[in-house]
Amino acid sequence: MENQMAKNTMSPRRRIVNILVHVLLGILAIIWVLPIVWIVLTSFRAEPGAYTTTFLPQGYTLNNYIKLLTDRNVLNFPKMFTNTLIISIISCVISTFFVLSVAYSLSRMRFKFRKPYMNMAMILGLFPGFMTMIAQYFILKSMGLTEGASIRIGLIVVYCACTGLGFQISKGFFDTIPRSIDEAAIIDGATQWQVFTRITLPLSKPIVIYTVMTAFIAPWVDFIFAKVLCRANADQFTVAIGLWNMLQKEYIYQWYTCFAAGAVLISIPIAILFLYMQRFYVEGMSGAVKG
Amino acid sequence: MKEDRITVLNALRNGDLFTRLSAVFMGAGMLGHRQIVKGVLVLLLEVAFFVFMATSGLHNLGMLPSLGTEAQGEVWNEAKQIYEYTAGDNSQQILLAGVVTCFVIVGFVALWILQMRHSYKLQKLIEDGKEVPTLREDIKNLFNGNLHMTLMTLPCIGILIFNVVPLVYMISMAFTTYSKEGEHLILFDWDGINQFLRVLNMNGNIGRQFWHVLGWTIIWAVFATFLNYILGMVLAMVINRKDTKGKAFWRFCFVLSIAVPQFVTLMIMNIMLQPSGAINVLLMNAGLITEPIPFWTNTMLARITIIVINLWVGIPYTMLQVTGILQNIPGELYEAARMDGAGPVKVFFKITLPYMLFVTTPYLIASFVGNINNFNIIYLLSGGGPTMVGDTAGQTDLLVTWLYKLTIDQQYYNLGAVIGIMTFVILTIVTLVTYRNSSSYKNEEAFM
């Protein structure tokens, strides 16, 4: 009887709480989605310039996209796009191999250098990332990788070289795969290499996909190192520097709406990749923490 | 049994002719103990090392104490009627070459120790009448028992060349006069700890800015880390509530913002919040304000804006990351709390938060470190501004962005390096203290 009473008095209160929660979520969702909607609208805006007196565009056009994809004189976006694509494909292959190799070795193999390596990785991670940037630039310069077309190689080297320090998430995932599976395979005569390539990797699809995609996305969103390395070599620019340049004083009036168009264009593939790999990201994270 | 251990000392003491010979002719021990290919390779490496030392290594080391003395000279050429420049010393290159040479020497010593031990091991294998592994077996083993060597060599070389060497190089720069101040950009000298004293001295101009920037960096990191963490967790819990409808839709709305590259959203936020940007236009059109809000030129407002925008950027990430872990919290804990009559707030602070803190301390430390080193958000939003006249650091500059300004914009390389080292020291202290005091370190089994 008492229970029944409690349920009846709870019901309207719960309904109010429910409504409040949904209203709150709605407001928050608008706050989170509004800037994105605004970029998309701006990319179709007919009036040029960064600042307008109205929030919504007065006229709509596709010219921003056309200008972005065809104007090769001032800011050559198609060229930047191919540059970035080449860099990101190559560095994606190399750094995926690096990350997964290191993670597997640290998770499954036992060797003297293992603990020191993990401690070293932690210590190196505490230094500000681009404290090393200038020195890296000097080293690349002494290798002759800072002029003309070799800037691309320089960028690839920089994006890949230190990825061996970012093993934590993959290692955490490998740690959650039962060792008994490996042991069974080894008893059947498999070598460690075969265990790695034929057993662990196929079982770790989420984390492999996660690693590939983060490695692929990195060159698209890094602008600071690319800026230092490319300096004024406009034909080596990556997409990120190009977009950044469009917002500088000399270009912003003419290029602002094109910037929005460019932002939309590179966001679409990244968004699709991300929404697709979201599941793996969550799984990878919770695996890492559990391990 | 002690003399049986495989050490360099034992190799010298008990080694046979070949083992002892390899102290001078590296690889001799392997050549004499049926590992010809490996022996030849090691010997070649030794030759290469000595050639390198003779041609440039010794010179590099010799230049290191002075960092070069010849300034770039100007000589009047009578015949051509022009000034000709004589190449002077470039201290920056001398320092880099010196650091690299030091690394080469360390590598050589390590190789020497390894080959001594290896020779002695081979000698003992033969003495005990065991088989010496052939080259084919060694290579096979690289894909089995020694797979880690195969897999980790390239990544380690990458880290060495592009992380460790640069770091040592930058750290040594902190002890020099390499700076635009006093025209020390080409030729500079060792300077001891003067730059450190300058940064730590509260009365000097640079020192005052340092403590100022440090204070804001820590305030920023604390707010950014914990607000994101708690609010992201609350959001995840609200979406995961049993009674919330359309979970996937809500999650999609928030995750969408992650999918747009961060630097793009940050640049757009910067534009939107300018005096004549979209937000001010929207508010003025609605009649809520008459004057534009100075989001980036008022110190307090700029700091708050940055923290709020960081919430916008960070909450979806936290939400994604904690969703899985939240579902792992044992249901019995909640039931027991409900039986005892605890309200939702109490349950959150007594059960959810302690459990989450316990599981995610490493993640929290990582995100604190990430926030202290969060370059993009400051550089792209406020650019460190507003900046007082005569200062190199703005009111919203973090240590990292100040480091960037000092090195790239101002070319005060030595000061920049000092700031980098100080950041590292602070992060090390914070990490050690929080980790030591965290429950996951003190009591590993609390929730098991």
Side-chain angles (χ1 to χ4, degrees):
Chain A
M1 187 63 197
E2 245 181 52
N3 243 341
Q4 198 82 37
M5 284 276 291
K7 231 180 203 168
N8 282 340
T9 49
M10 276 298 282
S11 189
R13 215 187 118 199
R14 196 185 252 182
R15 198 175 300 151
I16 291 171
V17 170
N18 250 343
I19 291 170
L20 279 179
V21 163
H22 283 89
V23 169
L24 183 78
L25 276 177
I27 295 172
L28 287 177
I30 289 174
I31 294 176
W32 255 267
V33 173
L34 193 67
I36 295 163
V37 172
W38 192 72
I39 305 173
V40 177
L41 287 179
T42 307
S43 74
F44 291 106
R45 190 172 76 192
E47 322 90 86
Y51 306 111
T52 47
T53 47
T54 52
F55 186 77
L56 293 176
Q58 297 299 296
Y60 294 90
T61 170
L62 273 175
N63 284 340
N64 300 324
Y65 287 90
I66 295 169
K67 179 179 171 192
L68 184 77
L69 295 177
T70 52
D71 188 331
R72 284 169 174 270
N73 299 319
V74 189
L75 290 169
N76 191 343
F77 190 81
K79 172 92 183 170
M80 295 172 199
F81 189 88
T82 36
N83 282 344
T84 322
L85 192 66
I86 294 169
I87 292 172
S88 66
I89 287 175
I90 299 177
S91 77
C92 167
V93 173
I94 301 175
S95 48
T96 306
F97 170 71
F98 277 18
V99 172
L100 294 177
S101 301
V102 171
Y104 180 80
S105 304
L106 294 176
S107 166
R108 283 302 199 263
M109 315 287 292
R110 289 293 174 267
F111 47 96
K112 250 199 221 154
F113 189 46
R114 181 172 170 269
K115 277 267 153 154
Y117 183 90
M118 297 205 295
N119 290 336
M120 181 197 73
M122 205 182 81
I123 293 170
L124 289 178
L126 292 178
F127 279 101
F130 51 75
M131 188 173 157
T132 53
M133 192 169 68
I134 310 211
Q136 287 177 337
Y137 175 74
F138 287 141
I139 290 175
L140 287 176
K141 199 172 166 188
S142 68
M143 292 176 169
L145 294 180
T146 52
E147 295 305 327
S150 59
I151 287 178
R152 265 181 241 170
I153 303 174
L155 278 174
I156 292 172
V157 168
V158 165
Y159 290 138
C160 299
C162 300
T163 45
L165 293 173
F167 56 83
Q168 289 83 356
I169 292 184
S170 321
K171 177 185 173 285
F173 193 91
F174 289 155
D175 284 342
T176 58
I177 299 174
R179 289 188 80 110
S180 49
I181 300 178
D182 301 19
E183 278 153 18
I186 287 173
I187 289 171
D188 289 346
T191 62
Q192 282 286 348
W193 173 253
Q194 285 165 331
V195 173
F196 177 45
T197 50
R198 308 252 175 90
I199 295 175
T200 312
L201 286 185
L203 280 177
S204 316
K205 224 163 120 204
I207 213 66
V208 174
I209 294 173
Y210 171 76
T211 314
V212 168
M213 292 190 174
T214 41
F216 184 80
I217 290 172
W220 296 90
V221 296
D222 161 79
F223 74 99
I224 197 73
F225 200 91
K227 215 176 104 201
V228 170
L229 207 57
C230 292
R231 298 171 320 247
N233 293 287
D235 51 333
Q236 302 302 321
F237 278 1
T238 63
V239 165
I241 318 179
L243 290 179
W244 190 81
N245 264 338
M246 289 177 194
L247 292 193
Q248 299 314 297
K249 281 191 195 78
E250 58 268 43
Y251 297 118
I252 190 166
Y253 183 77
Q254 286 296 322
W255 285 85
Y256 185 70
T257 45
C258 293
F259 162 83
V264 171
L265 281 187
I266 68 161
S267 297
I268 290 173
I270 294 181
I272 293 172
L273 286 182
F274 188 83
L275 292 176
Y276 170 68
M277 77 175 188
Q278 196 200 117
R279 183 162 57 95
F280 304 128
Y281 182 71
V282 175
E283 280 173 30
M285 275 309 289
S286 43
V289 175
K290 267 185 242 151
Chain B
M1 280 314 277
K2 211 180 169 198
E3 59 272 19
D4 272 8
R5 295 230 322 265
I6 295 170
T7 60
V8 176
L9 217 59
N10 282 340
L12 287 173
R13 204 180 291 146
N14 310 327
D16 60 9
L17 176 68
F18 289 117
T19 309
R20 291 191 190 184
L21 206 58
S22 41
V24 185
F25 297 104
M26 288 168 52
M30 290 172 229
L31 287 171
H33 296 132
R34 303 177 215 159
Q35 289 203 330
I36 310 294
V37 179
K38 266 172 149 183
V40 169
L41 279 179
V42 173
L43 195 62
L44 282 179
L45 279 177
E46 187 185 9
V47 171
F49 172 76
F50 281 114
V51 168
F52 165 77
M53 286 308 280
T55 49
S56 58
L58 285 175
H59 174 252
N60 293 345
L61 282 185
M63 294 296 272
L64 207 48
S66 68
L67 289 176
T69 46
E70 290 290 314
Q72 190 186 45
E74 242 181 8
V75 181
W76 176 251
N77 186 327
E78 239 350 290
K80 292 189 197 157
Q81 295 287 307
I82 47 164
Y83 277 110
E84 280 180 349
Y85 291 95
T86 56
D89 288 333
N90 186 329
S91 305
Q92 174 262 110
Q93 282 168 8
I94 292 173
L95 184 61
L96 182 59
V99 168
V100 171
T101 311
C102 289
F103 272 93
V104 171
I105 293 174
V106 171
F108 177 73
V109 172
L111 181 71
W112 185 83
I113 293 174
L114 282 179
Q115 63 94 24
M116 283 306 285
R117 286 199 202 150
H118 191 67
S119 306
Y120 189 48
K121 201 165 112 190
L122 290 179
Q123 178 195 331
K124 286 184 45 164
L125 277 180
I126 293 175
E127 281 168 5
D128 295 350
K130 287 180 190 150
E131 279 292 308
V132 172
T134 61
L135 186 67
R136 186 183 293 262
E137 281 167 349
D138 271 337
I139 291 176
K140 250 188 182 168
N141 209 19
L142 278 179
F143 288 91
N144 196 5
N146 284 334
L147 182 65
H148 59 272
M149 291 187 190
T150 321
L151 291 181
M152 292 189 59
T153 305
L154 274 178
C156 284
I157 291 175
I159 292 166
L160 191 70
I161 298 180
F162 285 96
N163 202 320
V164 180
V165 171
L167 263 183
V168 173
Y169 177 55
M170 288 308 282
I171 289 172
S172 55
M173 222 176 245
F175 300 94
T176 67
T177 55
Y178 188 16
S179 166
K180 209 166 82 180
E181 290 171 299
E183 299 294 318
H184 286 302
L185 279 183
I186 296 175
L187 205 58
F188 55 84
D189 240 321
W190 292 107
D191 194 26
I193 56 165
N194 283 341
Q195 300 302 325
F196 286 87
L197 295 178
R198 219 174 130 201
V199 165
L200 293 174
N201 174 17
M202 247 186 251
N203 299 321
N205 184 29
I206 294 287
R208 184 180 52 76
Q209 291 179 51
F210 170 73
W211 292 104
H212 206 82
V213 173
L214 176 62
W216 159 240
T217 305
I218 290 179
I219 295 173
W220 144 260
V222 169
F223 270 96
T225 310
F226 288 100
L227 277 182
N228 269 348
Y229 184 64
I230 294 190
L231 293 179
M233 200 151 61
V234 170
L235 181 67
M237 286 164 64
V238 167
I239 292 179
N240 288 329
R241 268 170 84 246
K242 214 169 54 213
D243 296 336
T244 306
K245 298 271 173 340
K247 292 186 173 65
F249 169 74
W250 297 120
R251 219 170 276 149
F252 174 80
C253 286
F254 294 102
V255 166
L256 199 61
S257 73
I258 306 185
V260 182
Q262 208 190 61
F263 80 102
V264 169
T265 38
L266 291 177
M267 285 196 285
I268 284 168
M269 291 283 193
N270 175 26
I271 300 274
M272 280 177 100
L273 291 168
Q274 293 293 338
S276 45
I279 299 286
N280 272 322
V281 166
L282 193 68
L283 290 177
M284 290 210 288
N285 286 355
L288 290 173
I289 50 171
T290 48
E291 286 286 300
I293 303 174
F295 285 108
W296 302 126
T297 43
N298 177 310
T299 302
M300 202 57 204
L301 210 53
R303 291 182 171 180
I304 294 174
T305 314
I306 288 172
I307 291 178
V308 170
I309 290 180
N310 186 54
L311 287 180
W312 189 90
V313 172
I315 284 181
Y317 277 103
T318 322
M319 182 198 80
L320 266 187
Q321 285 162 355
V322 298
T323 301
I325 310 171
L326 277 172
Q327 282 155 358
N328 287 344
I329 300 183
E332 308 95 69
L333 288 178
Y334 284 121
E335 243 158 64
R338 214 165 296 137
M339 292 247 196
D340 291 344
V345 175
K346 202 163 185 187
V347 169
F348 178 76
F349 281 106
K350 292 281 174 193
I351 294 181
T352 315
L353 198 59
Y355 181 92
M356 291 302 289
L357 281 176
F358 174 78
V359 181
T360 55
T361 306
Y363 160 75
L364 263 182
I365 295 177
S367 86
F368 189 85
V369 172
N371 275 322
I372 287 212
N373 286 333
N374 200 334
F375 177 81
N376 273 2
I377 197 153
I378 304 290
Y379 185 76
L380 292 174
L381 281 180
S382 68
T387 311
M388 303 282 192
V389 181
D391 281 3
T392 44
Q395 296 293 312
T396 55
D397 260 327
L398 300 179
L399 285 172
V400 253
T401 50
W402 193 31
L403 189 164
Y404 177 85
K405 283 184 181 173
L406 282 174
T407 48
I408 305 277
D409 299 345
Q410 310 279 338
Q411 296 185 305
Y412 296 170
Y413 293 101
N414 52 0
L415 273 181
V418 173
I419 301 299
I421 295 172
M422 298 310 283
T423 316
F424 169 73
V425 171
I426 291 158
L427 284 177
T428 313
I429 295 170
V430 170
T431 314
L432 282 180
V433 170
T434 35
Y435 188 63
R436 290 236 152 198
N437 286 320
S438 69
S439 41
S440 46
Y441 177 80
K442 280 189 190 156
N443 186 0
E444 281 192 54
E445 314 257 302
F447 277 98
M448 301 297 156

